[in-house]
Amino acid sequence: MKDFSDYKNIWVFAEQRQGKLVNVALELIGEGKKLAAEISDETRICAVLIGNGVDPLVEELYEYGADTVYVLQDPLLEQYTTDAYAKVMTDAINRYKPEIVLYGATHIGRDLAPRVAARLNTGLTADCTRLDINTANYMDYLEEKTTASLAGLDRNDPSKGLKQTRPAFGGNLMATIITPNTRPQMATVRPGVMDKREREEGARGERIDVNVEISKEDIHVEVLEVVKAAKEMVSLTDASIICSGGRGLGDASGFDLIRAFADKVGGVVGASRAAVDAGWIEQSHQVGQTGTTVKPHIYFACGISGAIQHLAGMQTSDIIVAINKDPECPMMQLADYAIEGDLKKVIPEIMELWDVE
Ligand code: FAD
């Protein structure tokens, strides 16, 4: 039987860009806190902060719930590079042995996590939408759920492992994945699906400065310049209002109306894949299973039927408003407010009413 007793605590990769923490890192600290409580009273939720000059972020991490912040700083870590981050993260995991390591399923998280998993020879579940702690024995759980051979798995594994849930087969089923025979258990998690904790001003925790061993020879790329996108910045995951358009817009010019709508209500423009595939708008606006998962306060779905792959990316929004000609379509059925009609008439009316008290 493998002995995992050295592996303790939950780590969250505290991804930051240009000195700002990305939202999903804070969401994972909130989720990790719940998981830690289920494992044991001693289990700590730890943020791993990598970069250079990132000290101002440490307090923010405590205030969102981190018990411990591991700080890995070096001028060579100023910009994200796969080689450097994978090396220092792997070294830290080998040294401190966390039981679970979580990353946001961002471009950086999706690049970093598999490299670290490969170096550690452990498993990784990508793109999770739900995490739980398996409170029963794994083998009982497996025996109940599967008819496949369980040969090779450890029948006596008493650990409380991580149950990782992610969409599979085009979103038609949800797969639950466990990693009984390796540590740490690692997952990337979609932005926007977990809840951030309320910020607790003044909360403080433990800081551990990790000795980083990195040299230029470890890094095979050089970042010459960071260029911000010249086009409109899309921050769907952080938006509190999203105005999304689908095939019902008719053509690309329909997005002029959606942009004006978003400007009016202080929202960000989203889109269905049908609209993206038609070339009416860039892919970065796509909401759904193969786009971005969002959780705004208000989601306006304009001319979007509500295919399962679209719903997978927005159904946990606080308030859903559907505008559609077809009252029977899934989006109209799901919506908190379903407005039946032609979006070209309904949207201008909402815009007019928006400022009326
Ligand atoms: P449609 O389904 O064609 O719906 C158009 C709607 O507009 C209809 O309900 C219609 O009644 C309404 N309408 C028409 N005219 C008007 C009008 N004048 N006023 C008001 N309403 C009007 N889709 C995503 O969105 N995101 C994803 O991430 C995604 N990933 C996918 C992954 C896979 C593996 C697969 C197979 C598919 C994926 N899809 C995704 C595609 C998805 O299955 C649907 O095809 C797509 O969401 C449909 O987009 P839509 O609702 O805009 O178009």
Side-chain angles (χ1 to χ4, degrees):
M1 177 177 159
K2 286 187 182 162
D3 179 12
F4 294 136
S5 55
D6 283 352
Y7 289 84
K8 293 191 173 62
N9 300 329
I10 299 178
W11 279 20
V12 169
F13 170 58
E15 181 179 336
Q16 54 85 23
R17 292 183 209 152
Q18 271 78 56
K20 196 173 176 304
L21 289 165
V22 300
N23 241 333
V24 63
L26 304 175
E27 292 163 8
L28 288 178
I29 291 173
E31 179 66 13
K33 201 91 178 158
K34 290 187 221 153
L35 299 173
E38 281 187 56
I39 297 174
S40 73
D41 291 346
E42 293 80 46
T43 304
R44 294 172 75 82
I45 174 77
C46 310
V48 185
L49 183 59
I50 307 178
N52 190 35
V54 288
D55 294 308
L57 303 180
V58 175
E59 287 184 4
E60 191 177 343
L61 289 164
Y62 296 144
E63 290 176 354
Y64 276 102
D67 300 314
T68 303
V69 179
Y70 289 91
V71 184
L72 286 71
Q73 296 203 84
D74 191 281
L76 291 172
L77 300 170
E78 172 108 28
Q79 301 293 346
Y80 174 78
T81 58
T82 312
D83 296 328
Y85 274 51
K87 176 169 191 317
V88 298
M89 188 78 179
T90 307
D91 289 349
I93 291 174
N94 275 329
R95 178 164 171 199
Y96 294 100
K97 299 197 176 358
E99 192 175 359
I100 294 171
V101 184
L102 305 175
Y103 308 74
T106 59
H107 295 302
I108 288 180
R110 288 175 190 201
D111 180 56
L112 177 64
R115 317 274 175 150
V116 175
R119 287 171 189 220
L120 293 167
N121 205 14
T122 190
L124 172 72
T125 307
D127 234 8
C128 295
T129 53
R130 185 180 166 150
L131 300 172
D132 296 282
I133 295 299
N134 185 41
T135 44
N137 185 296
Y138 273 136
M139 294 305 288
D140 295 345
Y141 175 77
L142 285 179
E143 268 162 2
E144 189 191 313
K145 296 282 178 196
T146 180
T147 51
S149 163
L150 302 181
L153 292 185
D154 185 350
R155 186 157 290 277
N156 299 312
D157 178 5
S159 57
K160 290 182 174 180
L162 187 65
K163 279 205 283 182
Q164 303 147 101
T165 304
R166 54 153 299 160
F169 292 104
N172 288 318
L173 62 83
M174 299 305 282
T176 301
I177 295 166
I178 58 173
T179 341
N181 274 346
T182 54
R183 290 292 182 278
Q185 303 160 94
M186 302 221 303
T188 63
V189 178
R190 284 193 188 185
V193 295
M194 310 290 180
D195 289 323
K196 252 195 305 198
R197 281 161 61 95
E198 202 68 27
R199 187 168 184 165
E200 198 187 322
E201 301 283 345
R204 292 294 170 263
E206 176 196 20
R207 171 178 173 141
I208 297 178
D209 285 285
V210 179
N211 188 22
V212 171
E213 283 177 21
I214 186 89
S215 69
K216 279 195 173 157
E217 287 68 51
D218 294 317
I219 306 172
H220 299 99
V221 294
E222 191 183 348
V223 179
L224 299 177
E225 195 186 355
V226 177
V227 182
K228 281 203 171 170
K231 284 193 219 152
E232 161 191 16
M233 291 295 289
V234 185
S235 58
L236 284 168
T237 45
D238 295 337
S240 72
I241 300 180
I242 294 177
C243 302
S244 264
R247 205 187 326 248
L249 294 178
D251 56 32
S253 69
F255 272 100
D256 295 341
L257 178 62
I258 298 291
R259 283 191 195 95
F261 185 25
D263 276 352
K264 180 76 188 175
V265 302
V268 168
V269 174
S272 73
R273 177 160 157 183
V276 170
D277 286 351
W280 300 346
I281 190 156
E282 298 90 52
Q283 203 275 338
S284 53
H285 292 265
Q286 186 180 314
V287 171
Q289 185 194 315
T290 42
T292 303
T293 301
V294 299
K295 197 172 183 287
H297 183 49
I298 310 179
Y299 188 86
F300 288 99
C302 313
I304 298 177
S305 62
I308 186 167
Q309 296 90 354
H310 190 85
L311 299 183
M314 47 62 67
Q315 60 196 349
T316 58
S317 304
D318 295 342
I319 299 169
I320 297 170
V321 183
I323 303 165
N324 204 299
K325 279 182 176 171
D326 174 7
E328 305 300 328
C329 72
M331 187 63 86
M332 293 286 270
Q333 302 293 318
L334 173 77
D336 300 287
Y337 299 94
I339 305 172
E340 183 184 344
D342 184 341
L343 60 89
K344 291 193 173 122
K345 289 198 184 124
V346 175
I347 293 176
E349 281 173 28
I350 298 177
M351 287 165 68
E352 225 167 89
L353 288 169
W354 192 258
D355 292 330
V356 179
E357 298 262 320

